[in-house]
Amino acid sequence: SRAGIWVECLRTRQPFVWNDYPNYPGKHDLPSGHAELTRLMSVPVFDQGRVCLILGVGNKTSAYDAADVERVQLIGNDLWRIACKARVEQALQEKVTELESVNRQLMTSQMQLLQSEKLAAVGQLAAGVAHEINNPIAFVNTNLGMLKIYMQSLLTLLAVYERCASANSEEDGVNLAQARTQADLA
């Protein structure tokens, strides 16, 4: 009720034309500084059955007619399509920006995952190499004690042979046979 004549088209949901404003029965005082009105037209623009825009035109030198209403409706429809298109483009740009951000995060995560996989592969390779080195070393290390025993037996036998070679006595022959048995040469 306080909006005045301009929203009469909203109340009636159809274009409103008044070609004699000074004699309009429901007029309100115009705001300070407002141009004097002689005639006016207000046209609603609909989107999916609801008023989404109102265009108001005033003070044409001649009376408003159906052609004026049609022109304003066409302009209003085009303005609404432009506004909707701008909103859709803005929403689309926001979505593109969001998707670019998500894509950057995804690429960063992918690079981190790839780096982690590379490090895991290097770790497995190092463990495999260490295992391949440790096995022969452990084998040699555990058998060094036996090798030491065998070498002492051989060195003892060799010492007996050297003594026998220089002395050649019966006692030496017994010592040599005993040393051979202890060395378990077979």
Side-chain angles (χ1 to χ4, degrees):
S1 64
R2 295 178 52 204
I5 196 168
W6 294 104
V7 294
E8 191 63 36
C9 67
L10 181 62
R11 289 186 199 107
T12 62
R13 297 182 62 79
Q14 60 185 344
F16 177 79
V17 177
W18 195 269
N19 283 311
D20 184 16
Y21 181 73
N23 293 319
Y24 180 67
K27 76 177 179 180
H28 298 286
D29 290 332
L30 296 173
S32 173
H34 195 284
E36 183 180 331
L37 281 178
T38 56
R39 57 185 54 85
L40 62 92
M41 170 177 56
S42 60
V43 178
V45 175
F46 293 91
D47 185 12
Q48 298 179 2
R50 67 180 185 91
V51 177
C52 57
L53 177 74
I54 296 175
L55 293 176
V57 181
N59 292 343
K60 182 180 173 191
T61 54
S62 60
Y64 291 110
D65 58 19
D68 294 324
V69 169
E70 186 178 340
R71 277 190 288 271
V72 171
Q73 282 177 326
L74 290 172
I75 291 170
N77 288 336
D78 285 344
L79 287 173
W80 183 247
R81 278 193 295 274
I82 290 168
C84 289
K85 182 181 177 188
R87 287 177 183 165
V88 166
E89 287 176 352
Q90 181 181 1
L92 182 62
Q93 184 58 44
E94 289 171 1
K95 193 55 116 172
V96 166
T97 302
E98 178 186 338
L99 288 174
E100 287 173 344
S101 174
V102 167
N103 192 33
R104 279 192 300 276
Q105 291 173 349
L106 184 61
M107 288 177 69
T108 300
S109 296
Q110 184 180 15
M111 292 301 290
Q112 290 173 347
L113 182 60
L114 186 61
Q115 186 69 17
S116 176
E117 287 175 357
K118 284 180 182 179
L119 288 174
V122 167
Q124 287 178 343
L125 181 64
V129 168
H131 179 72
E132 292 300 318
I133 291 173
N134 282 340
N135 277 353
I137 289 175
F139 176 78
V140 170
N141 193 29
T142 57
N143 288 308
L144 279 177
M146 289 304 298
L147 182 62
K148 183 177 180 182
I149 293 169
Y150 292 151
M151 286 304 295
Q152 284 176 334
S153 296
L154 286 175
L155 290 174
T156 303
L157 182 62
L158 186 58
V160 170
Y161 269 116
E162 285 179 1
R163 271 185 287 145
C164 288
S166 61
N168 205 359
S169 69
E170 220 179 281
E171 184 182 323
D172 288 331
V174 171
N175 286 341
L176 184 57
Q178 218 175 17
R180 278 182 70 122
T181 303
Q182 278 183 337
D184 191 21
L185 290 180

